[in-house]
Amino acid sequence: MRRVTAWCFDHRIAAVGLWVAGLVAAFAAAGALGPSYDSVMNIPDSDSADGFAALDEHFPELGIGNMSGTIVFRADQGVDDPEVRAAMEDLFAQVEAGFPGADGIARYPGATIVSPYAVGGEGQVAHDGPLSGRLAYAQVNLAPTVDMTDASLLGGAIDEHAPALDGLEVVPGGGALAAYAPPDSELIGLAFAVVILIVAFGSVLAMGLPVSIALGGVGAGIAATLLLSNVYAIPDFTLTIGVMIGLAVGIDYALFIVTRYREGMHAGLAPREATLAAMDTAGRAVTFAGITVVISLLGMLLMGIRMVAGVGIGASVTVLLTMVSALTLLPALLGLARERVEVTRWRGLIAAGLVAVALLGAGLGVAPLALAGAGLAAATLLASLAVAPLRREVPRRDPRPVDQTVAHRWSRRIQRSPWLYLVTGTAVLLVLASPLLGIRLGVADEGNSPEGSWTRRAYDLLAEGFGPGFNGPLVITAVADPAPGAGGDDPTAAVRALGVALARTPGVASVTEPLADDPADPGAFVLTVVPATAPQDEATSALVARLRRDVIPAAVGGSGLDVDVTGTAAANIDVTDYLGKRVFLFFGAVLTLSFLLLMVVFRSLLVPLKAVVMNVLSIAATYGVLVAVFQWGWGGSLLGVAGAPIEPFMPMILFAIVFGMSMDYEVFLLSRVREEYDRTGDPVGSVADGLAGTAKVITAAAAIMVVVFGAFVFEDDRLIKMLGAGLATAVILDVTLVRMLLVPATMELLGARNWWLPRALDRRLPRVTIERRTPRPAPPLAPEPQPQPVEA
């Protein structure tokens, strides 16, 4: 690490140039290939997966196993009105032609239409209720070659080319055709991060370096994720998750290193030696912390679901590249800044504040505010050429002695009554975690889309015209066993008996007639069951379980038919059950590996055990808050959400991210405490001194994380809202109750036992150090280029 740091510092122009060239090349490659997102949730060894396989084999023309959507239209004059019919059939033709451009080339190919006006399409017209004869839909089946981005663009084209007739409303429906736009809430987080960094450290350059490192790492992560989406199943929201985590950890990592660099400068070190010392301490902690986050995220591969694994891969790559940015790009930037990190002029301070205003305006979508902030920032820099006071230095604040800081006094106060604070903090976390006992997992659908979106409008219209269960139909596949003697001489009769049994089942609204793959010699059949309840209703899950457990076996026993219940609703139920069973395997693997890593680094049994227990408590409390807000609806009106089940993969994603970031703070705090303990041998004073030495930077880093994550609550997507709220809550709980309360209390109670490790185990464990205790000589300076003689 010292050699890499020395090279980047000495060859700073080359190092920055390599980063810029790498980013340009990566984005050029990503732009040339384009994204290819995949959000299909394939559940291994499930009834729904077997049913989808049967559909692909015997009914490929239906396209049920692929992405699909709908075109929902409501006409006051009736859907059979000649003018309405002509306009809609023209739209259907354009969709199947791919909306060709002026050159005749299809812009969005790969869609086929099942029209309500075609033979057999009568079931796609509402015949009951207030919308009878006035509501219909066309099924839009997409080819396997159509990715999520192209499908979203197709939905936009359908909305744009919808017929403009009086009394006619046309909306694209289904998740595949939903509008997708990259979120811009990260700009709000950056705006507040700029202010927090300036207030905390009083230096514009000390603020700018962490922001630059975060942007560089996130930029590399975005390009890498776009490229990886072409070779692995990565869902579209992975990019948002990567941006959220990358900005937060990037600023954090650079912040810890810059803080150590400034401490070295204050101690009288030259810029080069201060950079090496910072990397030898904080840089090592950053490396270990970043690896811990990456391991935690990659733990999602244990779930065995490609989409979930894709989230882990995309997010971990962003964190990894952000860490590399902090370890390579930051030394180069420190080589360019040198002593100027400690110098802040009024023009820079004012301009930085105005840039924060511009970022806030851009994030909120207020263009005048963004333009005004950017314009005034540029005007301030230009005015400083003529206005001398703007070029003056801002007075620096002298740092307080360690024993006079608020953090040191706070730690001493806790250490005087450790049991009181330990019990109080634990009780608060347990109370917050209590709603977790009532958690209900379920996959969100278009009914949870933002109000006003076309997919939500289509969902509501279909529910009103065809019943609440219409948006989550169950597809029943029945495949005859071709083996001789398999039983059952007439599969058609067996399937009809199955249809009768399904129609008589309580909770079933309707059942379609069986459709055979070959009417002359049928070998497979498909039926559609419409539940009487909505897809997210618990009664629908109970219906699926009853059909699989009781109704179908009783109806087809001995017939030789292999019957599966599939469809989107059934697949969502299967993924919820699957993840619910395997999530504890994921938790156990991540916790065990993290315990072992901390034990190796800190040479202790109790420190990693305590860290694991406290992190589990804070994560459980975070889950409890999410259940209260997003499932029970407490305060949901403030966030624009209604009560609904928690996404089944949300606890896992939150655990991976939160646990990794909690370990970041644990590593930074404990490494400083261990450094003080090795220096003084005082188990009590080392806790107070370590907390005082890291409290300011941890508090600033946590505040930045809270605003970066919290800004995503302003997004429309429920999943992003939930993730942003969960991460912000987790950071608040971790920094306030865990790092600043429970850690000092428990370390006071344990005393020197904090660092106890059996000798036999100590001899067998590999030795890994984060904070280097003994100074090493700096690598020699790179030789200066010598002028070459010029021949006459």
Side-chain angles (χ1 to χ4, degrees), residues 475-525:
V475 180
I476 312 297
T477 61
V479 180
D481 189 345
D489 298 328
D490 187 2
T492 302
V495 169
R496 292 192 179 279
L498 172 63
V500 171
L502 292 172
R504 292 175 177 174
T505 303
V508 172
S510 64
V511 180
T512 62
E513 288 295 320
L515 174 66
D517 58 345
D518 183 359
D521 184 20
F525 304 84

Side-chain angles (χ1 to χ4, degrees), residues 520-773:
D521 184 20
F525 304 84
V526 62
L527 306 88
T528 300
V529 173
V530 177
T533 51
Q536 293 184 5
D537 198 307
E538 291 186 70
T540 303
S541 300
L543 173 63
V544 172
R546 186 163 62 253
L547 293 179
R548 291 170 171 172
R549 184 185 62 247
D550 302 325
V551 177
I552 292 175
V556 301
S559 66
L561 290 176
D562 181 15
V563 181
D564 296 304
V565 181
T566 188
T568 301
N572 289 343
I573 294 170
D574 287 344
V575 72
T576 301
D577 293 340
Y578 180 87
L579 291 177
K581 294 175 182 177
R582 293 181 64 92
V583 71
F584 290 103
L585 169 65
F586 166 72
F587 288 171
V590 173
L591 291 174
T592 301
L593 188 56
S594 299
F595 173 84
L596 294 174
L597 287 174
L598 286 175
M599 182 174 63
V600 169
V601 169
F602 292 111
R603 320 303 294 179
S604 167
L605 278 179
L606 296 180
V607 164
L609 179 62
K610 172 179 59 65
V612 167
V613 171
M614 289 183 181
N615 286 337
V616 169
L617 275 176
S618 65
I619 292 171
T622 301
Y623 290 166
V625 172
L626 288 185
V627 170
V629 175
F630 288 88
Q631 181 178 318
W632 296 352
W634 291 6
S637 58
L638 299 176
L639 302 181
V641 296
I646 304 296
E647 291 283 348
F649 48 84
M650 182 57 63
M652 180 178 48
I653 293 177
L654 271 177
F655 183 89
I657 299 172
V658 171
F659 189 83
M661 292 189 305
S662 296
M663 297 306 288
D664 281 0
Y665 292 142
E666 189 78 15
V667 169
F668 291 130
L669 175 58
L670 291 182
S671 61
R672 196 63 175 265
V673 172
R674 182 63 195 242
E675 182 181 3
E676 295 296 328
Y677 177 73
D678 288 345
R679 184 176 62 86
T680 63
D682 181 4
V684 176
S686 61
V687 175
D689 292 343
L691 185 63
T694 57
K696 180 179 178 180
V697 66
I698 286 180
T699 302
I704 292 168
M705 279 195 171
V706 169
V707 296
V708 168
F709 295 146
F712 283 86
V713 174
F714 296 107
E715 293 295 325
D716 292 330
D717 188 88
R718 176 185 172 85
L719 176 66
I720 301 302
K721 281 180 180 287
M722 191 183 304
L723 189 59
L727 292 174
T729 301
V731 172
I732 292 173
L733 295 176
D734 189 81
V735 172
T736 55
L737 293 177
V738 176
R739 288 316 134 216
M740 299 300 174
L741 198 72
L742 298 183
V743 169
T746 54
M747 296 195 78
E748 167 66 21
L749 291 171
L750 293 173
R753 292 185 294 274
N754 280 298
W755 313 110
W756 173 76
L757 185 69
R759 291 183 178 180
L761 185 59
D762 185 47
R763 288 194 298 269
R764 287 176 171 82
L765 291 178
R767 296 201 170 271
V768 179
T769 59
I770 291 182
E771 300 282 357
R772 186 173 295 282
R773 322 286 189 236

Side-chain angles (χ1 to χ4, degrees), residues 52 91 139 159 210 231 236 248 264 283 289 358 379 381 495 537 571 586 627 635 724 745 760:
F52 280 130
L91 176 62
Q139 183 74 23
D159 181 65
V231 296
D236 51 0
L381 295 177
V495 169
D537 198 307
F586 166 72
V627 170

